């Protein structure tokens, strides 16, 4: 099991993107490079880094891949079919985890539950609290071929952990995984930070989450 130490940033609520970028520069990049299923062996270059504040998770992804697309144009759409980065986190010991999924245009899917089935989707008000800064802009587009570099900066308030009111990660050890996928791209792929030992692609496997310590 991989372990990640996340530092606390000295930023206020809804800090500017410049302040978020400065806070993230204090953290190290981590690779999302595990090919868990040999039949999907394409490995785009993907990294992430993370810090946290009193009110938000602050995340940044960098991606280089052969094909990109952002067809899903509304939150809680099928973003996993696009060029997509994801953060799954189980904040407590009750088995409930959240899947934060973002296509390269910043469109988000968020739900909570103890497994793949019977998940509760986030409300549009909750989704609207997530700040997103996609380098490619926020306009939907069909698949584009050719080497593409893109990044995604995210500020995710703890209020988005809507089944855990009043939550703060400070001083806690939680379980999480970080992903890159693109189910409907010309070269579909399913990369993870922590390895997943299943026969078929499945990110909804909390037993394979890594350990994240919030200092």
């Amino acid at each position: 099991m991989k372990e990640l130490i996340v530092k606390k940033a000295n930023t206020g609520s809804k800090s500017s993107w410049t302040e978020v970028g400065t806070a993230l520069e204090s953290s190290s990049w981590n690779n999302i490079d595990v090919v868990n299923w040999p039949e999907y062996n394409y490995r785009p270059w993907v990294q992430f880094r993370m810090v946290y504040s009193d009110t938000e998770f602050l995340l940044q992804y960098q991606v280089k891949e052969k094909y990109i697309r952002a067809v899903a144009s509304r939150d809680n759409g099928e973003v996993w079919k696009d060029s997509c980065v994801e953060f799954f986190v189980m904040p407590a010991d009750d088995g409930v985890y959240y899947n934060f999924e973002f296509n390269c245009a910043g469109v988000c899917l968020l739900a909570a539950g103890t497994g793949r089935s019977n998940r509760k989707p986030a409300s549009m008000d909750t989704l609207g609290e997530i700040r997103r800064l996609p380098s490619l802009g926020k306009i939907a587009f069909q698949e584009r071929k050719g080497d593409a570099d893109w990044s995604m900066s995210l500020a995710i308030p703890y209020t988005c952990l809507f089944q855990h009111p009043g939550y703060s990660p400070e001083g806690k050890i939680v379980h999480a995984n970080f992903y890159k996928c693109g189910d409907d791209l010309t070269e579909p792929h399913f990369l993870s930070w922590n390895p997943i030992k299943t026969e078929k692609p499945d990110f909804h496997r909390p037993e394979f989450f890594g350990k994240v310590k919030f200092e």
Side-chain angles (χ1 to χ4, degrees):
M1 178 188 295
K2 289 185 179 179
E3 296 186 8
L4 177 69
I5 296 176
V6 179
K7 298 178 181 179
K8 188 173 183 180
N10 186 22
T11 59
S13 177
K14 293 189 177 180
S15 302
S16 70
W17 285 118
T18 299
E19 292 172 315
V20 170
T22 299
L24 284 163
E25 287 175 0
S26 68
S27 62
S28 300
W29 289 104
N30 304 274
N31 294 322
I32 301 176
D33 60 0
V34 179
V35 175
N36 299 284
W37 303 282
E39 63 269 37
Y40 300 101
N41 59 12
Y42 172 54
R43 182 190 285 131
W45 180 85
V46 191
Q47 292 185 319
F48 76 94
R49 57 186 178 181
M50 185 179 192
V51 295
Y52 77 104
S53 71
D54 285 331
T55 57
E56 298 171 309
F57 297 116
L58 305 176
L59 264 167
Q60 187 176 46
Y61 293 84
Q62 288 187 332
V63 182
K64 296 180 182 179
E65 58 185 330
K66 293 180 183 178
Y67 302 89
I68 55 172
R69 70 169 236 171
V71 173
S73 59
R74 294 185 178 182
D75 283 348
N76 276 349
E78 297 178 331
V79 298
W80 66 89
K81 295 182 177 181
D82 294 335
S83 299
C84 185
V85 290
E86 304 183 356
F87 167 49
F88 282 33
V89 60
M90 183 186 294
D93 294 329
D94 56 6
V96 174
Y97 67 90
Y98 298 81
N99 54 299
F100 293 91
E101 309 179 22
F102 301 87
N103 73 6
C104 59
V107 179
C108 179
L109 168 66
L110 170 59
T114 57
R116 176 180 288 277
S117 60
N118 299 318
R119 299 190 66 72
K120 181 179 180 179
S123 69
M124 289 299 162
D125 286 343
T126 296
L127 286 158
E129 297 176 3
I130 303 173
R131 295 187 291 140
R132 317 150 201 193
L133 184 64
S135 64
L136 298 177
K138 298 182 178 181
I139 305 300
F141 58 88
Q142 297 292 326
E143 185 179 76
R144 301 172 183 170
K145 299 180 180 181
D147 291 342
D149 296 2
W150 58 277
S151 65
M152 179 75 64
S153 297
L154 300 165
I156 302 173
Y158 305 138
T159 52
C160 291
L161 305 177
F162 53 89
Q163 292 195 357
H164 296 84
Y167 183 81
S168 170
E170 185 166 7
K172 293 184 172 66
I173 296 175
V174 307
H175 291 87
N177 214 343
F178 303 81
Y179 307 119
K180 169 71 178 76
C181 65
D183 291 34
D184 281 6
L185 295 178
T186 296
E187 290 199 63
H189 51 273
F190 305 90
L191 304 181
S192 66
W193 168 65
N194 199 64
I196 303 169
K197 298 179 181 180
T198 60
E199 292 186 3
K200 297 180 179 180
D202 187 358
F203 288 168
H204 286 266
R205 299 299 291 263
E207 67 268 36
F208 298 115
F209 286 3
K211 187 180 293 185
V212 181
K213 180 180 179 180
F214 292 90
E215 290 188 328

